[in-house]
Amino acid sequence: MALKYESVAKDLEERIRAGIYRPRERIPTVEELCEAYGVSRITVRRSLDMLEESGLVVKRRGAGTFVKDMDAAQDLAAEKRVLGFSESARRDGCTATTRMIDFTITEAPAEVARRLRIEEGEPVYHITRVRHVNADRGLVAYTWIPVAIIPRLTREQATVSIYHHVEVQLGLTVGSTHRQIRAVRPTPDERRWLGLPEGEPLLEIDQTVYLSDGRLFEYSVLRRDTRAYSFNIISKD
Amino acid sequence: MALKYESVAKDLEERIRAGIYRPRERIPTVEELCEAYGVSRITVRRSLDMLEESGLVVKRRGAGTFVKDMDAAQDLAAEKRVLGFSESARRDGCTATTRMIDFTITEAPAEVARRLRIEEGEPVYHITRVRHVNADRGLVAYTWIPVAIIPRLTREQATVSIYHHVEVQLGLTVGSTHRQIRAVRPTPDERRWLGLPEGEPLLEIDQTVYLSDGRLFEYSVLRRDTRAYSFNIISKD
DNA sequence: AAGTGGTCTAGACCACATA
DNA sequence: ATGTGGTCTAGACCACTTC
């Protein structure tokens, strides 16, 4: 069933993107929106919170809610939902390709065990992949996943999309992600895999991903070529 | 006046950090918390939302709310609030130093005008600063601010803290920030200012900052040395 | 079956912006 | 003075997990 606050938010977003509500313009008041959609005040406010969260509007107490004045680039993409690589590419209308470098089951080294909160030596998948979107926007992904969490992961599934396997076939859902971001120098392997010119740096994203049941599910180090890509964030407050 | 949902969230956070509620443990139910703090269900839920947002707990429908199982590094710092450089350093108990490289009023070039949504040629401050925390964690900041927004900004104020001037002296508050992040090669100047070894890359953070009244306030390009620093993000969903 | 968090309501009062 | 969004309540019912 469609949730009310979601459908209201979706409708408002469509109106903004369609230009019915224009940048810097005030949208209807909370009261008016309650009336228009036949929902309560709290529900409207929750919808507006979602739009504010995604950077589309700004609320000003005493004045109203206004469409944010943003440029197209910022408009498009904030890295909010934790999408798998291939799904995120598909959403942009692009195709993802994956080259599997390594797929083994091994004993968790100390650092990986620490990040996944498991015992050192516990069995983990160790997966290395080189991925591209439209022959551009390349990245190297080093992923560790406890075998206990996904007992039967195959090389083929990991090549296509681990997230798809986890969410569709296992019925688990991803809950949240903690990321640390740095700039790093590529290794010779990475330079070769990504076709980097001498001296070109990479963006390193160290991430631990939680399932929505609270279990730690993967630890990944992503190393991205950012010449044709940028990592976008919108923060409030 | 202290808001109820804030004080409840703060109290729960203290209990978690003090180890009264331990990792993987369930905290009291919404009902019990309503009783304990003498507030309504919606208020408790809002507090729990804040804690979940900051990555401290995970809520599971039908099961309860659990303290997240995180390591100390992730625990410490998510870059959620938009803090000025010096305030953020102070919060960590460190001292910030700033070296002013350039402070001029100039005509907005095309790219800056586009980011700030002003006319090309409108007067803007153009400020270049080299900043450090404890002689470590260096960054170069290139900042553009429309003169119309802050008519009387002095070199001294910009050296200490622009955010302090804006928030305390002008009574304006920062609303939100849109960031784009990439890895880049430093310029020779930057390498010298930050004392970087040959080949060391920088993290570039392109940010536009909005005031809470919705006006665009600054466009900055920050170029950080990430050898002793990382940019942290926690995302839900 | 019992218990948990998720959604939603109708209404009250408050804090702030604008005129 | 008016109108805006912000906070908060008491209570109802629903969706999900398994205390």
Side-chain angles (χ1 to χ4, degrees), chain B residues 20-37:
Chain B
I20 299 176
Y21 305 137
R22 303 183 158 282
R24 293 177 184 274
E25 243 181 54
R26 213 192 69 188
I27 70 173
T29 68
V30 172
E31 199 93 5
E32 289 164 345
L33 292 172
C34 289
E35 184 89 10
Y37 292 101

Side-chain angles (χ1 to χ4, degrees), chain B residues 21-215:
Chain B
Y21 305 137
R22 303 183 158 282
R24 293 177 184 274
E25 243 181 54
R26 213 192 69 188
I27 70 173
T29 68
V30 172
E31 199 93 5
E32 289 164 345
L33 292 172
C34 289
E35 184 89 10
Y37 292 101
V39 298
S40 76
R41 191 184 158 82
I42 278 191
T43 302
V44 163
R45 283 184 43 68
R46 180 144 183 199
S47 305
L48 293 179
D49 283 345
M50 291 176 67
L51 294 184
E52 184 165 40
E53 179 81 18
S54 61
L56 240 60
V57 304
V58 53
K59 294 187 288 182
R60 294 168 49 194
R61 172 187 285 209
T65 302
F66 299 80
V67 178
K68 218 159 168 176
D69 198 0
M70 63 216 154
D71 60 46
Q74 296 173 344
D75 182 15
L76 271 180
E79 214 84 2
K80 57 178 175 182
R81 198 168 132 48
V82 182
L83 295 170
F85 183 79
S86 18
E87 185 184 345
S88 140
R90 199 175 320 118
R91 191 187 49 170
D92 296 348
C94 301
T95 330
T97 60
T98 300
R99 175 177 158 207
M100 178 66 70
I101 303 290
D102 185 29
F103 181 91
T104 52
I105 294 181
T106 176
E107 297 180 352
E111 170 66 6
V112 170
R114 189 179 70 77
R115 303 301 284 252
L116 289 172
R117 304 287 279 191
I118 58 178
E119 293 301 319
E120 208 173 319
E122 237 185 78
V124 290
Y125 299 99
H126 175 24
I127 307 165
T128 303
R129 294 172 293 177
V130 177
R131 321 190 75 174
H132 284 89
V133 176
N134 286 356
D136 209 14
R137 296 163 56 180
L139 70 84
V140 180
Y142 306 92
T143 303
W144 290 266
I145 299 176
V147 173
I149 302 256
I150 309 185
R152 250 187 296 280
L153 182 65
T154 67
R155 194 187 179 92
E156 286 65 38
Q157 286 159 345
T159 305
V160 180
S161 168
I162 293 179
Y163 279 59
H164 182 267
H165 177 247
V166 167
E167 302 213 306
V168 178
Q169 295 182 31
L170 298 181
L172 301 170
T173 56
V174 168
S176 60
T177 301
H178 293 210
R179 295 187 173 105
Q180 297 181 5
I181 302 183
R182 296 181 202 85
V184 296
R185 279 182 266 204
T187 64
D189 272 344
E190 288 163 349
R191 201 154 52 227
R192 203 175 57 249
W193 292 333
L194 298 173
L196 298 176
E198 181 64 30
E200 186 65 33
L202 294 177
L203 187 71
E204 177 178 287
I205 305 170
D206 247 59
Q207 59 181 24
T208 49
V209 183
Y210 293 76
L211 295 174
S212 53
D213 64 12
R215 285 184 294 167

Side-chain angles (χ1 to χ4, degrees), chain A residues 29-30 41 45 59 61-62 64-65:
Chain A
T29 67
V30 172
R41 190 183 159 80
R45 285 183 42 69
K59 294 187 289 183
R61 172 188 284 206
T65 302

